[in-house]
Amino acid sequence: MITKRLIPCLDVRDGRVVKGLNFQGLQDVADPVELARFYNEAGADELVFYDITASVEGRAMFVDILRRVAAEIFIPLTVGGGIRSLEDFDRVLKCGADKVSVNSGAIANPGLIAEAAQRYGNQCVVLSMDVKRVNGRLHIFAKGGREDTGLDALEWAEFGVNSGAGELVVNSIDTDGVKQGFDLPMLDAVAARVQVPIIASGGAGKAEDFVELFQHSGIDAGLAASIFHHRQVEIGDLKRRLQEAGLEMRL
């Protein structure tokens, strides 16, 4: 049985971790370096760091904070935000990232996925997808959920994997921050189309949401922000609950 992973997410804006609802109304939460240190000690399996306004502001990632976060942790670190070229991949990997997440940059230049996979390996390339329902269809959104690309999310997931993405982060804009559970129908639809690990994001509100999530085949990890940041769910307690439910966890 494949070990399931719990992954806190640091959404960073102007040097601070923030969190909102449905990608809107961002509020200050904490210092990213302190939070990274906490999660490393709390038993998180991996950590995700997103510079959430880099793409919409058309700038490169703030690497000084990234270096400080990477220096605090000894778990795999995935980094995204403003990744538009192989040079951007190179920059964040040299800062300590283990994997690089592409989203808007890959939408603007779909060839970037294959180029990065060929240079750095499939395991390094994570395709992050911000998905929202539009007239009953699953659409890909860009620039931090601000722009509807019109791309079909299932077709985009399949294209990304065929191009070399070794992992998908599937963010549901519809359930982001709502804390009523993951978007399981959407996740099932994506899992039916691809054969790479899927990280589910958006909607976690309690431990049972993760138990339910991991009953669905094809979902390898659960990513969450506010419930971990505000200690509503402690990672160690959650891992023990999942293990009790018969799931393989790294304790």
Side-chain angles (χ1 to χ4, degrees), residues 150-168:
L151 287 170
D152 179 273
L154 303 181
E155 293 177 1
W156 179 242
E158 197 166 0
F159 171 83
V161 171
N162 290 339
S163 296
E167 194 167 58
L168 299 180

Side-chain angles (χ1 to χ4, degrees), residues 160-211:
V161 171
N162 290 339
S163 296
E167 194 167 58
L168 299 180
V169 175
V170 184
N171 311 297
S172 172
I173 297 175
D174 294 320
T175 62
D176 175 71
V178 177
K179 299 183 182 179
Q180 295 297 312
F182 291 94
D183 192 334
L184 298 172
M186 181 196 73
L187 292 164
D188 287 341
V190 175
R193 296 286 285 265
V194 299
Q195 298 298 314
V196 300
I198 293 174
I199 299 171
S201 173
K206 57 186 183 302
E208 292 307 311
D209 293 334
F210 289 88
V211 175

Side-chain angles (χ1 to χ4, degrees), residues 20-135:
L21 178 68
N22 304 125
F23 283 37
Q24 302 293 319
L26 299 176
Q27 296 181 336
D28 184 87
V29 174
D31 173 73
V33 179
E34 291 179 4
L35 209 50
R37 185 186 306 122
F38 167 76
Y39 285 130
N40 184 74
E41 296 170 354
D45 296 296
E46 299 186 15
L47 190 66
V48 167
F49 177 109
Y50 287 137
D51 184 337
I52 61 170
T53 56
S55 290
V56 73
E57 292 172 4
R59 60 167 171 78
M61 178 180 295
F62 292 131
V63 294
D64 54 337
I65 298 168
L66 173 58
R67 287 194 188 96
R68 292 168 57 209
V69 165
E72 291 291 337
I73 65 174
F74 300 95
I75 53 178
L77 174 64
T78 298
V79 177
I83 306 296
R84 293 183 291 271
S85 66
L86 292 181
E87 289 73 23
D88 293 327
F89 266 80
D90 202 52
R91 183 184 306 111
V92 299
L93 289 169
K94 286 178 177 175
C95 288
D98 299 284
K99 294 181 279 188
V100 181
S101 174
V102 289
N103 189 333
S104 296
I107 293 167
N109 174 21
L112 177 61
I113 301 170
E115 293 170 7
Q118 288 164 12
R119 177 175 293 188
Y120 302 106
N122 300 58
Q123 80 290 340
C124 180
V125 182
V126 179
L127 178 61
S128 181
M129 303 165 45
D130 294 332
V131 184
K132 185 176 182 179
R133 288 172 178 80
V134 178
N135 297 323

